[in-house]
Every structure is written in structure tokens, then in C-alpha cells.
Amino acid sequence: MVRNISAYRWRLFTALFCWLLLANSNVVAQVPAKGSPRQRINFDKGWRFALGHPSDVSKDFQHGTSYFSYLAKAAYGDGAAASGFDDRAWRQLDLPHDWAVEQPFSSKGSLSHGFKAVGRNFPDASVGWYRKKFTIAKAEEGKRISIVFDGLYRNASVWVNGFYLGTEPSGYTGFEYNISEYLNYGGENTIAVRADATMEEGWFYEGAGIYRHVWLSINNPLHISTHGVFVTSHVLNDEAKLNVELSCINEKTHNSEVQVQQTVLDANGKIVAQSQKRTQQLPSMQTQTASDALIVKNPVLWSLENPYLYSVRTAVYSKDSLVDLVETPFGIRTIRFDANTGFYLNGKHVKITGTNNHQDHAGVGAAIPDALQVWRLKQLKAFGSNAYRCSHNPPTPELLDACDRLGILVIDENRLMGVSSVHFEYMKRFMLRDRNHPSIISWSIGNEEWGIEGNELGAKIATTLQAYTKSIDTTRIITAAISGGWQKGISNVIDMMGVNYVGQINTDQHHAEFPNQPMWGTEEGTTRAARGVYKTNNQTQLIAAYDARPYPNFLTIEEGWKYYASRDYLAGLFLWTGFDYRGEPTPYGWPSVTSYFGMLDLCGFPKDNVWYLKSWWTKDTVLHILPHWNWPGEEDSIKDVRVFSNCDEVELFLNKKSLGRKSMQLNGHLAWAVKYAPGTLQAVGYKGGKKVKTETVVTTGVSKSINLSADRTIIHADAADVAVLTIDTKDEKGNHVPVADDQLSFEISGPGKFIGVGNGSPVSLEPEKFVETIQNIAISLSKEKIVQQLEGNETMTAAGYDDAAWDKAFKDDRTAAFGKTAPAILYRGKFDMPSFAKNDTITFFTKMIGVQQVVYINGVKVSPVLNGDAAIRIDAKLLQPHANIIAIVAKPLLKKQPWDVISTDPGVLQVFSPAATWQRKLFNGYAQLLVQSTGEEGNIEIKVTGGQLKTATIQLQAKKNEP
């Protein structure tokens, strides 16, 4: 037990434990502590996947066609939901997984979802099946075992061993099911999941499939309920009074008594507070909640600069035996919103400089690895963003963990506004999951509910939902993002007014009429820009990266920030958006496939506005020039040169000739009209009259060599960690080429794999993943004839044999009497062979339709006598384009009981095509490659080639986590 470890060893362990969690980016709100009886097992590895169909049962593995449905009888999951279903021919993969990002682009796809070939127009790619086999030790019988999904897009039905567990319509809400009674302890078990992404839930890219983690949770019958620990704090002078609320559940069949003890640990694992053991009565099959009060002396407060985390260790005993033990990270901090002066963190005024973001990244779609979540947040924080709005749904738990550790404030947002039990349940579920995160400062109950936000109905709904939200947590302010219907409806009743686009509302007037209501900009500054583009071209659908109004009544980034910065009563703003995302390619349609709103593109490469924000959102000395200086054939044309800086003054030089020295206004930028001439454009920044920074852009030559860099060269050998690689090109002088669009190819060796590639172009239709493809060809048998033995039937198995006079296959009932007349049966059928490449692998996954059987294809024997299911490699030379003949000679299976069902399925023919070479074009000088650990230690080498360009290589090192 943890309490028996020496103080020194305990501190050492806890420090190491915290370090490992930080390094692996997978801290969660409630985790088993060392020595805990509970287990939380990552369930991401070893799944099989295949596309199904929303309506054609023949393409959906005959699911839902049995005489009894799984809705009528327990354990009657059929088709791919059945535990005995043969999935050997399915694709093998690990989670998280987004099958939508693997699909091609199509003009018939949804504009909102980035024109990916998924949805109503693509039924063959809109349903996905996942299956996993696993074992549970016999010793675990009697414990409470649950399968936990952090998020699954969408309309997901789940079965275990053929038992239907339930269906979750939402693609964003985590859910779990008890599977204790359904398991085969000591033997094999099967979980099956069917996700249907035909219908969109949002108006932005959402992916498809099990795009978040899956866990197996194993607890004693007496245990802490899911997300059952809630820590709140009240700071006064030099101490913090903690209230630790604990919910315990008794899943025994009789009443029980438990003893509970709470221990608070600082970031180094030192005990700073501990409660006395208290006794709690737990009635059978019920949950009981109680609280403990503790005091932490001289607490270290969680802040943006020092995101310090404590944890509370909750121990539950029954008759002096430890039955549960969890660690719950939390932060001690105070938050306050003042209607006149804005937001305060720990009593210090903080202007909120946030961004909105969807869960979408180049190459991986919605299935963003945890390490990449951290990387993305760091890119936002690097230009001074201190807050993150989860638009428009609850995020992955790991994103909130990262915000806790990095010091980023969060608006945690509800997906669906309403007041039915369904809406309440969704609100409750994500709030219970997320409520211990110190990064969260507000719960958002809705976004741009145009049908109700400006009327009395909206006011009623918002009032009720807000009250329900406060019944769960009173420590954060409640907000809603409103884009119309000002000064009526939702805006009149919400605690915190969320303004979507200040150009549409007079906030001064609203503040005067509602002087006690705090306000902030939940969406602002919706500029449009393509990275590295400085001439708008509506034919190519590329928008210049200058900060311009998208509509006359919408403000630019600069105008928006000046507006908020000049008004103390506005707590701050959240820009739309931090990153580009697929969908909403305003103002265009096809072939634009991503938005243009981001401060960063879909890969996270910064657009020029990032340097404007960094100038005024950070204390770093900033100096940035735009545009690039490669304009062949445009000599003497006037270029709009802008400088983003927080220097007092900036002087601009073209080929060493001064173009003037200008003073920088607060929250502004500088501009020069410059006649283009090739060479060097240089900006010199001054503070206090002294030169402090110099920045240049030069006219470059063509690309000569490839440059390859990584965000870090050592990654964890854990089959999860990710390195982010940047690829660009250099000219013969070593200058970065900002207009390069070279086609590049990528190779990898060692314990790593590519998981995604991108370049940030809003109009690129190139693949983002290069994965193996599988075509499964169903085999059916149409004719049969009784024969005397398994072998020696070559004449009748020949491809050209005329079987027109034979009986229909499986015509006669397979009774014992039939068996006496049929020592063997020869079955014949046809299958249509699609085209395939010479390096494809063709395998026949046979299923037994007899006690023994022999298989022939086009008259050639391809198997020995089989006594069980087999995987037979087929020589491609045996196969004909299109029509082929299969013959199986089998000793018949016979019924033991009249109701027995005899198998008529001979198996499936699989055509496996290996992944193509990974490749991508540069877009305005850059591309990105994502490399993930495969779990082993060793050196990972990445090689990048491109035509006549000098090849680049880089080595990463995968290491196991060691003290």
C-alpha cells in the first residue's frame, strides 16, 4: 500500500510519476494511484476495421438480419456484432483513428466537412465497424469492469460478446458501459463497434470513427464513481480551504460500510494536508456523496506563468482493506469577473487573449495524438494566446490536461443546447469529467443559437440550462456565444455575455443597459488569409495574407484587438480561429477544402498576423516584414510592405537605401509603399533610440536543397509519442525559398511510422495519408453435387465445367439422413475479381462449410485437406480479370438438433494493397510530416527526396521512459 512506502521513496516516486505524466502528455483527471486496486488499461491497440453501409445489409456484414434482433434478445448481436464473426480479412490498426481523413476529396462532399468523400453522398464510406478481441483473467471475476470511450464519431453502437450495450448519438461526449456480467473470464472476448457518420453533427470537419482513446476500467464492487472526486478551494491570506467532494458507489448486492481518507500532495509528492478516516454507509447499488474539508498552508497558486498542480489521493477501505485509490490533479487559484474591469486570476488583472479551435489537424484529422495536442497549444501560446475556447464541443480530456500544465485558460463548451433530460445528461457528463481542471474558467452552454438567441424562448431555455449547470458547479461563470438578438433573449439572462463579432453590436450600449453583466468576445477578428500569399486570386482561391475586413461590419484582427484593448469592461477576446480547419472555406466553395480564418494554417505554420499578435500579446521584442521579396517580372510595381513590431520606431531599407523611419503606435503596425526591385528588404527596430532588432527578407534563387527539422529529436518509445517535422527548401546561398512548391517523397526506417502529411494549402487535394487498402470479395456458392470422396474430382472442379444441371447449393436440409446419402459434396460458385497491382497480396480466408474440405480456384487446387478455417495465399497468375470459378469439395456438416444452423459461408477473398510512397508538394515553401513511435527503442531515420534537389535526412531517437 502507498502509505507504507517511506517518505523519501514516496517523494521520489511521486516526482517521477508527475514527470512521466508530463512527458507522455496523458495526465487524466482521475487516475489509479500506485498500489491502487483499480486498473485503467489503455485499449487503443490491436483493433480491426472495415467500412460497412448505412442501408445495404449485404455491404454491412448482414448486420440486423437475424430472426431475433439484438434489441429483442440478449446476446443476439449478429453479423459483425456477433462474437464469432470472422474479421480476419479486415484491416488491422490502432486507435485513435479517423477514417474520414483517409478518404479522397470530392466536389460531391460536404462543404462544411472539407469535401471529404464521407456522408450522405458516400454511403460506402460513411459507416465503420471496429472489432477487438481481448482476454480477462479469471481472477478478475467479481470485479466491476467497464469499457470507456472518450469520444466516438458518431451514432455509435457497441456490443460485447454479442450483447448489445447501447448507442451514443453524440460524437463528442464520452461514455462507458458496464460489461462485467457479459465477459468470458479466462477466455476470449470480443468488442464490436458500429459508427455511422452519415449525418453531420456540426458544420465543420468532425472526422469519423473512434478518434479518441478507449479504456478498460476494472474496479472493486465498492469504488469511487466515475469522475467522483471534486476539489474546490477558497483562498484567504496564507491558506487555502479545500472541499473534497467524494462520490462512492456500492455495486454489491448488500449494504456496505467504507472508510475514506483524503491526502493532498504538492507537485513534488509531499503531503501538505490529510483528513482523518471517516466512515460512510453505502446502500446496495447506490451512490453516496460526502465531503471532507482540508487546509493547505501557504499554497502555490496555479497561474499562467506558474501552472502549479496539486493532487488529492483518495483512499477507500472496507474492513481495513484498501478497495480503491485514485489520484486527482487540481490547481488552487481564484478567478473573478468584474463587469467593469474584466477578469482577475489570483487577484491579478489578466486581459484574455484567446483563440477558438476545432479538433482538426493536417494528416490526422480529428484523431489528434496527445503529443500533437501539446504541440498545437504551444504554437498558440508562443504568440501570446493565453486562452482556448473549445469550439463547439467538449474537447479530449488530454487537451485540458495540457492546458493545466501549460497555463492556458479554457472555455469548455456544450455541443447541444436544450433542457430535456438528454441535454442535461450531456451537460452533466462533460462537466463532471472536466470540473477539476484549473484551466477551465467558464462553462459555455451554447453557441450562435440563431433560432432562439434573440427571443423569449431562448431566454427561458438559457435560464433553465444555466441553473442546471450551476447545480453541478458554482465555481465558474456561465457564458453563451451570441451573434444576434442583442439586448433580448439569451443575452439578457446569461451570466457572462459572449459576443460573436463586435462589429454587429454596440457593446458600449449593452454595457450601459446591463452594467452588472461581464462581457467578452467569444468570437472575434475573423480575417481571411492563405499563408504566404500576398495577391488575392479568386481563380486559384488564394487570399492575400494582409489583415483585411471580411465584411464591411466585421473588424480586422488589428481593429478587433484595439477595440477590446481600449475597453476595460471587456474581459478579452477569442479570435476566430487559432488554427485553420477543414470546411467553411468562406468565401469560396470547391476546390477550397479548409477555412482561411486561422492565425496558423492547418499544419500550424504561422500566417503573418501571428507576428502582429505577438507584438502586442507578448513581451518579446518582435520585428516582422511582409510580403516575401520574390516578384520576378514585377520590377517597379508598388508593393504594400508592412511591418509588425512592438519597437518604438522602425526604419525600412531596400538594398541599403533608407525608405524612412516611422514611429509605432500602440497596438498598430507600420506600412510603406515600396517600388519592387530584387535584392534585400531590411527592417531595423529601435527602442529608446537604440537599435534592438533587425529583420530581412531577400530575393532568393530556385530551390536547390531540402531542409528538414524536427520539433525535437528524442521521442518516447511508447507507440504514442509524435515528432513534428518541418520541410522546406533552400537556394544555392542557403536562403529559405518562400514560394517553393516542389514535389517531395518521404521514406522512414526504424521504430517509427508516418501518420500524416500536410502543407497548409487551403486548396490542396493531395492525400494526407498513405495507408494500405483492402478489398474484400465475398464468395458465394450457387451449385452443388453429391460426390463420393474429397479428392479425385478434377473434371468437375475445372473452370469450364458445365454445372447447369446441378442442384442449388444447400438445397437439402443437412440432417443425419442426408449425411448417409452424401459422403461428400462438390460446391461451385463464381466471383468477380477487381483489378489489382502486381505487388498486391491475395489471400483466401476460408471458413468451414464441411467437416473437411478442399478448395479449387479456376480448376487449380489451392489447399490441402482442411480441418479448420485457414488463410490461403493465392497466386495471382491463377486469377482471371472479372469472372472466376471457385469449387469446394467438403464432407458435409450435419445438424445435431433441428434448430441448428449450418454454415453456408465459404469465406472471403482479400486483395491487400500496400501503402503507396508518402509524398507531398510544398505550399509556399513548407510542408509538414508527422512521425509516431511504434513502441520500440532505436534510431528512426527519415529521408526526403525531390527530383534534382539535394536529399535531406534526419535521425530521431526513440527512448523508453527511464528515471
Side-chain angles (χ1 to χ4, degrees):
M1 291 168 54
V2 171
R3 58 180 178 165
N4 291 330
I5 299 176
S6 70
Y8 170 78
R9 291 178 62 203
W10 171 249
R11 287 196 297 271
L12 178 63
F13 161 75
T14 309
L16 173 60
F17 181 68
C18 293
W19 178 83
L20 293 179
L21 290 176
L22 176 61
N24 281 298
S25 307
N26 62 357
V27 177
V28 292
Q30 182 172 297
V31 298
K34 183 177 176 64
S36 175
R38 79 164 46 206
Q39 301 175 60
R40 188 172 187 267
I41 302 168
N42 184 281
F43 226 48
D44 289 347
K45 305 301 178 186
W47 290 76
R48 289 186 178 267
F49 171 77
L51 291 171
H53 199 280
S55 57
D56 186 340
V57 295
S58 67
K59 295 181 178 180
D60 204 40
F61 310 105
Q62 300 299 323
H63 174 62
T65 60
S66 295
Y67 180 73
F68 290 119
S69 82
Y70 60 87
L71 298 176
K73 298 283 187 181
Y76 270 75
D78 64 347
S83 58
F85 176 82
D86 184 7
D87 57 18
R88 290 173 297 158
W90 287 17
R91 177 179 162 197
Q92 300 180 57
L93 53 77
D94 296 331
L95 307 178
H97 174 241
D98 174 2
W99 86 72
V101 77
E102 299 173 352
Q103 305 308 309
F105 297 96
S106 171
S107 60
K108 295 180 180 179
S110 166
L111 175 146
S112 294
H113 283 51
F115 291 104
K116 281 292 185 179
V118 174
R120 296 195 186 281
N121 294 331
F122 305 91
D124 288 323
S126 296
V127 168
W129 281 92
Y130 295 85
R131 287 172 54 88
K132 178 181 172 73
K133 296 184 185 299
F134 62 101
T135 58
I136 296 291
K138 186 71 174 177
E140 305 292 0
E141 192 164 11
K143 294 184 179 179
R144 309 311 293 166
I145 302 178
S146 298
I147 187 75
V148 182
F149 295 88
D150 283 344
L152 206 170
Y153 194 83
R154 62 168 288 279
N155 198 31
S157 298
V158 185
W159 295 261
V160 165
N161 294 339
F163 288 90
Y164 173 64
L165 304 181
T167 298
E168 174 51 64
S170 172
Y172 301 103
T173 301
F175 58 96
E176 66 178 85
Y177 298 115
N178 167 51
I179 59 175
S180 310
E181 287 76 16
Y182 302 136
L183 294 175
N184 174 25
Y185 293 91
E188 187 177 78
N189 298 274
T190 303
I191 182 170
V193 178
R194 183 183 188 271
D196 188 343
T198 303
M199 177 180 164
E200 299 173 0
E201 189 170 343
W203 54 98
F204 41 84
Y205 180 83
E206 300 174 283
I210 311 179
Y211 70 96
R212 295 183 182 176
H213 295 302
V214 180
W215 308 89
L216 198 70
S217 178
I218 303 178
N219 297 305
N220 283 313
L222 294 171
H223 63 93
I224 299 165
S225 59
T226 302
H227 312 306
V229 180
F230 182 29
V231 186
T232 57
S233 60
H234 177 70
V235 180
L236 184 63
N237 299 325
D238 61 348
E239 66 180 30
K241 296 181 179 179
L242 305 184
N243 184 72
V244 184
E245 182 182 284
L246 174 65
S247 295
C248 287
I249 186 169
N250 176 11
E251 295 189 271
K252 289 186 172 182
T253 56
H254 56 82
N255 297 343
S256 299
E257 181 179 274
V258 296
Q259 295 78 43
V260 175
Q261 187 173 41
Q262 308 281 8
T263 303
V264 180
L265 308 171
D266 67 12
N268 296 315
K270 179 183 177 181
I271 295 175
V272 294
Q274 188 171 51
S275 70
Q276 297 295 318
K277 278 189 182 180
R278 61 170 172 81
T279 300
Q280 188 171 340
Q281 303 298 322
L282 293 178
S284 173
M285 307 307 292
Q286 291 189 31
T287 300
Q288 293 287 330
T289 301
S291 298
D292 289 284
L294 299 97
I295 293 178
V296 175
K297 297 286 188 179
N298 301 310
V300 180
L301 302 185
W302 184 94
S303 66
L304 302 180
E305 301 78 18
N306 182 28
Y308 191 92
L309 293 175
Y310 290 87
S311 64
V312 60
R313 188 173 76 226
T314 305
V316 179
Y317 302 88
S318 175
K319 298 179 181 178
D320 294 324
S321 294
L322 184 69
V323 294
D324 204 358
L325 184 66
V326 300
E327 297 270 2
T328 305
F330 69 97
I332 298 174
R333 49 95 176 111
T334 67
I335 56 174
R336 179 171 67 89
F337 287 89
D338 186 280
N340 293 308
T341 57
F343 175 67
Y344 292 83
L345 178 63
N346 302 325
K348 176 185 175 183
H349 181 264
V350 175
K351 197 75 169 183
I352 291 171
T353 53
T355 65
N356 288 264
N357 293 281
H358 290 309
Q359 50 183 34
D360 186 8
H361 192 90
V364 294
I368 304 177
D370 299 345
L372 186 57
Q373 297 269 28
V374 175
W375 182 89
R376 283 166 57 90
L377 289 169
K378 287 181 177 179
Q379 307 317 300
L380 297 174
K381 191 159 186 175
F383 66 79
S385 179
N386 63 17
Y388 187 103
R389 178 175 174 225
C390 304
S391 311
H392 301 285
N393 46 264
T396 66
E398 292 75 22
L399 182 135
L400 297 175
D401 295 330
C403 289
D404 288 347
R405 297 193 309 275
L406 294 173
I408 297 175
L409 307 172
V410 175
I411 298 178
D412 202 354
E413 188 153 278
N414 176 39
R415 171 76 289 270
L416 186 62
M417 193 171 184
V419 291
S420 74
S421 59
V422 171
H423 301 98
F424 281 0
E425 175 63 20
Y426 281 154
M427 196 84 206
K428 180 179 182 180
R429 229 186 288 176
F430 88 86
M431 287 181 67
L432 291 182
R433 185 197 72 173
D434 298 345
R435 58 188 175 171
N436 287 304
H437 289 284
S439 56
I440 296 173
I441 59 172
S442 175
W443 304 110
S444 172
I445 62 172
N447 172 73
E448 292 187 350
E449 293 288 349
W450 293 326
I452 61 172
E453 69 179 14
N455 56 43
E456 184 180 353
L457 180 60
K460 290 179 180 178
I461 292 172
T463 298
T464 301
L465 186 56
Q466 181 169 250
Y468 179 76
T469 302
K470 290 179 179 180
S471 74
I472 301 170
D473 178 25
T474 60
T475 68
R476 281 98 169 180
I477 202 163
I478 313 301
T479 194
I482 301 167
S483 61
W486 313 109
Q487 294 151 324
K488 55 186 175 180
I490 295 174
S491 69
N492 286 22
V493 300
I494 199 73
D495 282 353
M496 180 88 175
M497 173 68 164
V499 177
N500 278 15
Y501 308 111
V502 73
Q504 302 182 90
I505 177 179
N506 185 331
T507 62
D508 295 337
Q509 178 185 346
H510 185 90
H511 179 56
E513 294 187 21
F514 298 87
N516 297 319
Q517 183 187 52
M519 298 177 68
W520 54 8
T522 37
E523 288 182 23
E524 277 306 342
T526 179
T527 193
R528 301 170 186 159
R531 175 186 51 78
V533 174
Y534 301 101
K535 281 185 178 180
T536 296
N537 186 330
N538 289 325
Q539 295 300 312
T540 60
Q541 299 188 355
L542 294 175
I543 302 174
Y546 292 100
D547 187 15
R549 288 191 175 195
Y551 304 106
N553 63 329
F554 277 51
L555 303 185
T556 65
I557 300 294
E558 182 174 323
E559 289 170 338
W561 173 239
K562 285 180 175 178
Y563 186 97
Y564 278 82
S566 65
R567 289 164 172 80
D568 290 341
Y569 70 84
L570 293 172
L573 56 68
F574 294 80
L575 293 173
W576 190 264
T577 52
F579 285 78
D580 279 340
Y581 54 93
R582 294 170 183 80
E584 290 196 302
T586 309
Y588 303 117
W590 177 263
S592 293
V593 295
T594 77
S595 74
Y596 296 79
F597 303 128
M599 304 301 102
L600 309 164
D601 67 21
L602 192 64
C603 294
F605 294 126
K607 302 178 189 178
D608 292 277
N609 288 323
V610 160
W611 281 276
Y612 168 77
L613 297 169
K614 189 172 184 177
S615 297
W616 306 114
W617 284 8
T618 76
K619 295 179 180 179
D620 297 344
T621 299
V622 177
L623 188 61
H624 175 76
I625 309 171
L626 67 148
H628 60 68
W629 211 236
N630 282 26
W631 302 100
E634 299 187 35
E635 286 74 12
D636 296 330
S637 63
I638 301 300
K639 299 300 175 187
D640 180 3
V641 175
R642 301 188 187 184
V643 172
F644 295 140
S645 181
N646 49 16
C647 292
D648 300 337
E649 296 176 297
V650 176
E651 187 171 10
L652 189 69
F653 296 85
L654 176 59
N655 295 327
K656 299 184 179 181
K657 180 181 178 181
S658 176
L659 302 180
R661 184 163 167 170
K662 298 184 179 183
S663 297
M664 180 67 71
Q665 292 184 348
L666 180 66
N667 296 321
H669 74 277
L670 298 176
W672 285 262
V674 180
K675 185 180 293 187
Y676 175 67
T680 300
L681 196 64
Q682 183 180 69
V684 178
Y686 300 86
K687 284 188 177 182
K690 295 182 179 180
K691 183 192 296 187
V692 294
K693 197 171 181 66
T694 300
E695 185 73 13
T696 61
V697 292
V698 300
T699 306
T700 71
V702 298
S703 299
K704 291 294 184 180
S705 62
I706 300 168
N707 186 56
L708 186 56
S709 60
D711 70 315
R712 53 206 169 97
T713 57
I714 298 177
I715 62 173
H716 301 295
D718 58 2
D721 202 6
V722 173
V724 180
L725 274 61
T726 296
I727 306 106
D728 68 327
T729 58
K730 306 288 187 182
D731 68 7
E732 60 184 0
K733 294 182 179 179
N735 296 313
H736 164 72
V737 183
V739 294
D741 62 354
D742 302 270
Q743 181 76 47
L744 305 177
S745 297
F746 314 110
E747 299 175 23
I748 190 169
S749 60
K753 63 180 179 179
F754 297 140
I755 60 170
V757 65
N759 61 15
S761 169
V763 294
S764 176
L765 304 180
E766 299 172 89
E768 299 175 77
K769 283 183 176 292
F770 295 83
V771 298
E772 68 272 15
T773 57
I774 291 175
Q775 298 180 77
N776 287 331
I777 302 153
I779 303 295
S780 60
L781 302 172
S782 56
K783 297 286 187 175
E784 71 172 33
K785 182 179 179 63
I786 295 174
V787 294
Q788 296 305 305
Q789 63 276 328
L790 282 178
E791 301 192 78
N793 303 291
E794 283 73 12
T795 300
M796 291 181 287
T797 61
Y801 184 82
D802 184 5
D803 57 17
W806 288 19
D807 290 335
K808 181 180 178 181
F810 305 103
K811 176 179 69 70
D812 296 315
D813 198 12
R814 287 345 192 212
T815 61
F818 173 81
K820 293 179 181 179
T821 66
I825 305 173
L826 197 159
Y827 300 94
R828 286 174 60 90
K830 296 179 181 179
F831 63 91
D832 192 66
M833 192 67 193
S835 59
F836 57 89
K838 63 180 181 179
N839 61 337
D840 290 350
T841 301
I842 301 167
T843 305
F844 183 25
F845 291 94
T846 68
K847 295 180 71 175
M848 296 300 290
I849 57 172
V851 178
Q852 292 181 311
Q853 62 190 42
V854 181
V855 181
Y856 298 80
I857 291 181
N858 291 329
V860 178
K861 182 180 177 182
V862 296
S863 80
V865 175
L866 299 176
N867 297 300
D869 295 348
I872 304 170
R873 183 71 59 87
I874 305 298
D875 187 342
K877 296 177 182 178
L878 296 181
L879 299 170
Q880 306 295 327
H882 305 300
N884 292 265
I885 299 297
I886 185 168
I888 299 178
V889 188
K891 291 184 178 180
L893 294 169
L894 302 175
K895 292 183 176 182
K896 295 181 179 179
Q897 302 292 342
W899 52 81
D900 288 344
V901 177
I902 298 300
S903 174
T904 62
D905 180 7
V908 63
L909 198 70
Q910 180 202 71
V911 180
F912 178 93
S913 303
T917 300
W918 284 70
Q919 55 186 305
R920 191 70 166 190
K921 262 191 170 186
L922 297 177
F923 173 65
N924 287 334
Y926 288 106
Q928 183 183 83
L929 193 60
L930 303 176
V931 176
Q932 188 169 56
S933 157
T934 56
E936 305 83 17
E937 287 193 299
N939 292 327
I940 305 167
E941 184 172 278
I942 297 96
K943 179 180 178 182
V944 183
T945 58
Q948 300 301 311
L949 299 178
K950 184 179 178 181
T951 297
T953 60
I954 192 172
Q955 279 204 349
L956 310 179
Q957 195 171 10
K959 287 186 173 183
K960 294 288 186 184
N961 289 330
E962 297 178 355

